[in-house]
């Protein structure tokens, strides 16, 4: 039995650099594994939210307006049929396409919704490029609605820069719905979709806005640009849509150029694609672009609309289900070289549009041409109608205000009765 | 059949200096063993026991017998145990009798061999309740035995305690063993050999003495005898007795309060006056006490509960006024060339190391006890005094708060830099450079409020360090180490690093050091590359262009190592070590540059770099393979789907790595890299999956592979499933049963010691990550139904993990995530099952209210998925 060796490390680091490399690799691998799983789960949650929007058991109380019956036809079906595994990589054209359909798109306000002051927020929409901003794994990427990358940059968002000790674990993953405002190079945040890997798809707008306000600032994302934070982020101020809120949004001075007012139903979840629970409204005072311009930036004398040609010759809007505007006869289709699926541009003639209960009774359409290839979708019913109204009998800010004051009086009545 | 005479001759021939004779004999021994194992072992035991045989043949007989009972490799050991247990009882009884008889042999070596063999047999048989009479027969009439037999018997008892777990020996036997051993140690025992054997036996039996240490009277008795033995006139007995004290310090720390005053006096006397072998043990006693207190205080710090299992008695703090001067005295007893000798260990080194531990155990309190010594001696003409003062200073830099040290360190810095350039003593410069490294390690970095390194002195510090890197190899090595920590302190400095202006010069100097003729001495080359790695790791975007320039330089060096032909085995070993260092360096660079915005330019080197890594696999060196594999993993992550082009050539090395059971680190690293590749290639990895899965399944079934590699293999199943989705279908029938049996194993294994619990948790985590990946991979596939039959077991597994209550946070997060993945993928098919599980209720709720946000996040996900699964 020999005496036991009791030498201790002398003038040496307790951990060799090789062991350090090994440990760092293991850490990196386990973070990436956790990222991959987290991504799969996040995207799964968003697909779930998409599917559940068509499920009949949606709670009627939290959804004051009936959800449109969304089936899986049309461009949204890409999302639900898309395998999570493929989407989990967030790479390649497939994923881009998937992304493009992930934004919540407002309908145009063609009549004033009920309970405006109780159930809705109003905010002044910044003019600029609508995009998704995704921060994960040390980098931030902004993608336009068509899926193309706008910026690829470091930011103070969680996981948005390759910098240690900043904003929590590397595996976090955040998605913001933003408008990039060129003039001051700022991302104005209009909605929050995922925060630190936590999906907000199925949260109400009320919660999402609260979360957005309380969380974004903590990260330093609202600070001026710096080395690890290339663009400033800013939360768009939002108001309860009562008289003073509407007034503030409409007339208030803001650091950005306004492009209309956005109305968010407080109880609505983040719904990808078009939704009647978010509405856009504009007039000349709060937007430079009320009436659509042509490619040369001129307002054409007649309203132009783009519709999709169906197999049976019907020309329809991009809505889901599509709204039939008119029907083309087979000879005309043949002559013009159109094929099913074509997007076709028309002008609205003096006969105008006439619609009842969301269906076109009569539409005086004049064929112009096949629409240019850059367009992905036809116009929606609400857009066509808003543009039509803007040219003929626009919905004015006074109409909104008077609706609010009417509601206020209605609100007071039952109180009186109760105390009776 | 061989006769006894022939065995003797074979055993002697097997030790012949004539190679042919030796080889022939060894072959014959093997043949004999394979033809008739029982007869072979019996004749070995007979040879060992026969006092008429030559000592050499008897010793070898014992050794071969011992090797037939035990092996280092776990799987081999298991086979040998089974083989012994299956022998017929008559043979075993005869062998045991031979072994016990040998203990009375007049030849000391033969007795000692027999002691060890008996312990091996006991190690196999006692847990099986065989040979129950062993302890009794060893202890019967031990008092009447002749001294040499008594000595052999005590030695046997010691080895027995080393081989056998305390829980297979009845307390009654334990008491008898300890009584015999402690009586043998007693001063009343006249024979020194007996007393020494008893003292060494106690060292090994201390683990058995739990109950006895809880009994005041018995503990007092044991402690008194041990302390008396430290005063024995025989140096070996004193040393063995101090070894017992060292072991008691860590095993029975909480029982020592009553004895500390006496122990201090004994150790102080030994440190000052005794033989160095004894003095080193005496210092080690205090180092062990510090280790215990550092651990306890760390646990306090982490928990703030104050009710840790073991309270801190602050022995170090109480002993401080006397202990520190004692240790400082030892620092003056340096050996001339200790810094040049890798294996050196002397009283000055032990004393300084202990002083460092004392500083960590007591913090600020040590500073006033050490400062006068430093101030008095730091400028003395005798190098021993200057070195001792510097060493004392360097030793106490970890432990006290930066506030306490800052003024002193600031004042000392200029002095140190000066000493580094001007002191004539190599020894002083070595310790000074090391001390600078310690200053940067503990007092420089983003957490320190007032920086030690400022714009005013940065230039000077770097200039001196670079100058020192040209000094003798041992001094230069310490300068590289100082640079390492200097760079590390700027790890999270932000976009502008104060090192940027010096970056080029630092890199060039480090490369120059690595190329020194004498760079292989004193680990200098390794230290240079390690510093280079840290400088690169902590560099900022400002200097990425310079890091980029480093790529072709390091690649060329790696290329050069691959061209060398006809090397001696010594040269080859150094070459392989260098290849490992260069691959490690490239790995660090890949991680630095492999992402935006440098990725594009960097990746232009990828083809060539990959070519070099593949050539490294052609060399036979586990370390180089491991480093190259790690670098490839980093490269795969940077390359993404483009990595596919390397797969046809790389694949065979991947397979080789997975088959490397002996160097299990290589295997482990390879498993991790497969995960990297899965994430990079996604479904493009499919063509290689048959091969990879086959090999992984083989690895799992192998009992040769180190167990630590198995959990990552399960995680790797998950990576593969996530990458290839429903294509994982064909592996389901193989992988699921493996996961299932591993899950059962982990359920039964928990509850043992901390190490086992840790392993069990890593196993659980691997299994759970596999399930997660598989569920997520199959999501939205029509083949989802294939997984339904496995759901009940998986839910049971989750429930059992929850019930065991010993999971760590990582497992908690992964487990609750699996619950969500299962619900998400299988949906309404398993709604009812999920509702019956404990996991979906108590466990989920516990996770939902967790403070750890990653657990909460995973739980939110699970809740969400479950709600959906049960609502449909």
């Amino acid at each position: 039995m020999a005496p036991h060796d009791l030498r201790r490390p002398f003038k040496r680091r307790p951990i060799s650099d090789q062991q350090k490399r090994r440990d760092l690799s293991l850490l990196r691998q386990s973070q990436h594994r956790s990222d991959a799983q987290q991504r799969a789960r996040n995207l799964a949650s968003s697909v779930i939210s998409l599917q559940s929007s068509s499920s009949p058991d949606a709670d009627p109380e939290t959804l004051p307006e009936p959800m449109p019956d969304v089936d899986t036809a049309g461009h949204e079906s890409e999302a639900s049929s898309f395998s999570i595994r493929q989407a989990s990589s967030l790479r390649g054209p497939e994923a881009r396409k998937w992304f493009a359909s992930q934004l919540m798109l407002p309908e145009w306000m063609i009549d004033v919704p009920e309970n405006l002051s109780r159930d809705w927020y109003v905010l002044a929409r910044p003019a600029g490029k609508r995009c998704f901003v995704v921060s994960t794994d040390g980098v931030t990427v902004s993608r336009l609605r068509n899926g193309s990358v706008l910026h690829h940059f470091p930011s103070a968002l969680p996981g948005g820069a390759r910098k240690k000790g900043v904003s929590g674990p590397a595996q976090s993953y955040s998605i913001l719905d933003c408008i990039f405002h060129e003039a001051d190079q700022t991302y104005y945040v209009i909605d929050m979709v995922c925060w630190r890997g936590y999906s907000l798809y199925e949260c109400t707008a009320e919660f999402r806005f609260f979360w957005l306000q309380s969380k974004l600032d903590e990260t330093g994302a609202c600070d001026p640009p710096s080395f690890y934070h290339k663009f400033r982020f800013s939360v768009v101020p939002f108001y309860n849509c009562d008289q003073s809120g509407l007034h503030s949004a409409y007339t208030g001075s803001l650091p950005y150029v306004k492009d209309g007012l956005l109305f968010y139903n407080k109880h609505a979840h983040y719904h990808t694609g078009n939704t009647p629970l978010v509405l856009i409204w504009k007039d000349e005072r709060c937007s430079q672009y009320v009436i659509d311009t042509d490619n040369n930036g001129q307002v054409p004398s007649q309203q132009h609309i783009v519709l999709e040609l169906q197999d049976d010759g019907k020309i329809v809007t991009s809505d889901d289900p599509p709204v039939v505007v008119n029907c083309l006869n087979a000879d005309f289709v043949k002559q013009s070289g159109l094929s099913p699926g074509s997007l076709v541009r028309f002008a609205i003639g003096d006969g105008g549009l006439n619609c009842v209960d969301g269906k076109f009774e009569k539409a005086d359409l004049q064929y112009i041409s096949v629409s240019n290839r850059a367009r992905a979708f036809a116009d929606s019913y609400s857009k066509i109608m808003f543009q039509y109204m803007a040219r003929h009998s626009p919905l004015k800010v006074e109409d909104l205000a008077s609706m609010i004051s009417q509601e206020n009086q209605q609100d007071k009545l039952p109180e009186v009765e109760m105390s009776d | 059949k061989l006769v006894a005479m022939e065995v003797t001759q074979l055993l002697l021939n097997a030790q012949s200096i004539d190679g042919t004779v030796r080889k022939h004999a060894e072959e014959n021994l093997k043949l004999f063993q394979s033809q008739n194992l029982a007869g072979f072992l019996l004749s070995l035991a007979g040879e060992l026991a026969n006092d008429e045989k030559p000592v050499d043949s008897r010793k070898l007989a014992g050794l071969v017998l011992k090797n037939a009972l035990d092996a280092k490799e776990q799987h081999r050991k298991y086979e040998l145990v089974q083989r012994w247990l299956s022998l017929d009882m008559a043979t075993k009884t005869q062998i045991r009798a031979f072994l016990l008889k040998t203990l009375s042999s007049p030849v000391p070596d033969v007795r000692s061999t027999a002691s060890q063999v008996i312990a091996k047999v006991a190690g196999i048989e006692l847990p099986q309740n065989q040979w129950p009479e062993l302890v009794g027969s060893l202890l019967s009439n031990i008092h009447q035995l002749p001294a040499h037999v008594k000595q052999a018997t005590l030695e046997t008892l010691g080895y027995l305690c080393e081989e056998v777990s305390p829980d297979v020996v009845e307390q009654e036997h334990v008491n008898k063993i300890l009584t015999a051993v402690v009586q043998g140690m007693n001063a009343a025992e006249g024979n020194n050999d007996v007393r020494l054997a008893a003292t060494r036996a106690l060292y090994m039996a201390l683990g058995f003495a739990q109950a006895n240490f809880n009994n005041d009277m018995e503990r007092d008795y044991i402690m008194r005898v041990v302390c008396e033995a430290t005063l024995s006139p025989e140096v070996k007995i004193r040393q063995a007795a101090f070894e017992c004290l060292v072991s008691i310090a860590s095993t029975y720390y909480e029982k020592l309060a009553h004895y500390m005053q006496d122990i201090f006096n004994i150790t102080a006397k030994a440190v000052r006056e005794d033989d160095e072998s004894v003095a080193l043990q005496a210092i080690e006693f205090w180092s062990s006490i510090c280790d215990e207190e550092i651990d306890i205080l760390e646990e306090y710090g982490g928990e703030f509960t104050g009710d840790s299992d073991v309270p801190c008695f602050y022995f170090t703090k109480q002993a401080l006024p006397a202990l520190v001067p004692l240790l400082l005295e030892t620092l003056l007893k340096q050996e001339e060339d200790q810094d040049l000798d890798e294996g050196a260990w002397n009283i000055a080194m032990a004393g300084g190391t202990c002083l460092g531990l004392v500083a960590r155990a007591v913090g600020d309190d040590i500073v006033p006890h050490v400062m006068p010594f430093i101030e008095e001696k730091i400028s003395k003409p005798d190098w021993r005094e200057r070195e001792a003062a510097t060493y004392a200073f360097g030793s106490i830099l970890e432990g006290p708060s930066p506030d306490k040290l800052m003024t002193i360190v600031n004042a000392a810095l200029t002095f140190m830099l000066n000493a580094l350039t001007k002191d004539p003593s190599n020894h002083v410069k070595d310790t000074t450079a090391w001390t600078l490294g310690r200053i940067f390690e503990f007092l420089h970095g983003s957490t320190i409020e007032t920086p030690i390194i400022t714009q005013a002195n940065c230039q000077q510090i770097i200039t001196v360090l670079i100058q020192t890197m040209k000094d003798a190899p041992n001094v230069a090595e310490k300068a590289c180490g100082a640079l390492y920590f200097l760079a590390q302190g700027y790890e999270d400095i932000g976009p502008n690093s104060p090192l940027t202006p010096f970056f080029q010069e630092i890199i060039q100097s480090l490369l120059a050091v690595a190329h020194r003729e004498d760079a292989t001495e004193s680990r200098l080359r390794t230290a240079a590359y390690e510093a280079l790695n840290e400088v690169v790791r902590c560099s900022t975007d400002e200097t990425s262009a310079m890091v980029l320039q480093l790529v072709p330089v390091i690649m060329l060096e790696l290329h050069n190592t691959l061209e060398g032909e006809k090397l001696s085995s010594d040269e080859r070993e150094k070459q392989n070590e260098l290849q490992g260092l260069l691959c490690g360096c490239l790995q660090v660079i890949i991680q630095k540059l492999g992402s935006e915005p440098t990725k594009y330019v960097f990746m232009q080197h990828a083809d060539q770099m990959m070519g070099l890594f593949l050539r490294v696999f052609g060399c036979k060196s586990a370390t180089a393979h491991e480093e190259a594999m790690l670098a490839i993993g980093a490269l795969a992550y940077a390359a993404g789907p483009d990595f596919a082009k390397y797969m046809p050539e790389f694949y065979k090395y991947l397979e080789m790595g997975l088959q490397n059971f002996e160097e299990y680190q290589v295997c482990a690293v390879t498993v991790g890299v497969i995960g990297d590749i899965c994430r990079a290639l996604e479904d493009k990895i499919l063509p290689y999956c048959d091969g990879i899965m086959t090999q992984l399944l083989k690895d799992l079934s192998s009992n040769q592979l180190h167990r630590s590699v198995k959990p990552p293999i399960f995680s790797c199943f998950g990576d593969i499933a996530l990458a290839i989705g429903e294509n994982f279908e064909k592996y389901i029938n193989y992988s699921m049963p493996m996961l299932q049996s591993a899950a059962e194993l982990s359920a039964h294994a928990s509850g043992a010691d901390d190490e086992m619990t840790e392993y069990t948790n890593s196993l659980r985590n691997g299994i759970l990550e596999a399930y997660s990946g598989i569920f997520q991979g199959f999501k939205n596939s029509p083949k989802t139904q294939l997984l339904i039959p496995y759901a009940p077991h998986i839910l049971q597994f989750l429930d059992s993990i929850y019930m065991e209550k010993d999971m760590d946070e990582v497992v908690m997060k992964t487990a609750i995530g699996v619950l969500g993945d299962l619900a998400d993928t299988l949906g309404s098919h398993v709604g009812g099952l999920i509702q019956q599980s404990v996991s979906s209720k108590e466990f989920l709720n516990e996770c939902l209210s967790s403070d750890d946000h990653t657990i909460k996040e995973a739980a939110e996900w699970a809740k969400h998925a479950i709600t959906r699964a049960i609502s449909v």
Side-chain angles (χ1 to χ4, degrees), chain B residues 711-723:
Chain B
I713 290 179
F714 288 125
S715 305
C716 192
F717 282 179
D719 296 336
I720 293 172
L722 197 59

Side-chain angles (χ1 to χ4, degrees), chain B residues 765 768 798 801 807 810-820 843:
Chain B
N765 193 53
L768 292 166
L798 294 175
I801 292 178
M807 69 181 135
V810 177
V811 170
M812 194 169 191
K813 185 200 152 204
T814 328
I816 207 68
V818 167
L819 182 65
F843 187 17

Side-chain angles (χ1 to χ4, degrees), chain B residues 584-600:
Chain B
C585 184
L586 286 172
Q587 186 209 336
V588 171
I589 297 177
I590 294 168
Q591 300 217 44
K592 194 72 197 176
L593 300 180
S595 54
E596 303 296 351
T598 44
K599 180 170 161 180
Y600 179 75

Side-chain angles (χ1 to χ4, degrees), chain B residues 69 81 84-89 91-93 95-96 99 118-134 164 168:
Chain B
L69 295 166
V81 166
W84 173 263
L85 289 172
S86 63
L87 283 180
D88 65 295
M89 194 46 81
T91 306
K92 284 193 279 190
T93 312
I95 292 175
R96 291 171 187 165
L99 291 171
I118 290 171
K120 293 289 177 198
V121 175
I124 298 173
E125 296 199 331
L126 295 192
Q128 310 287 330
N129 288 319
Q130 299 181 14
W131 210 2
E133 69 279 14
L134 170 64
V164 177
V168 302

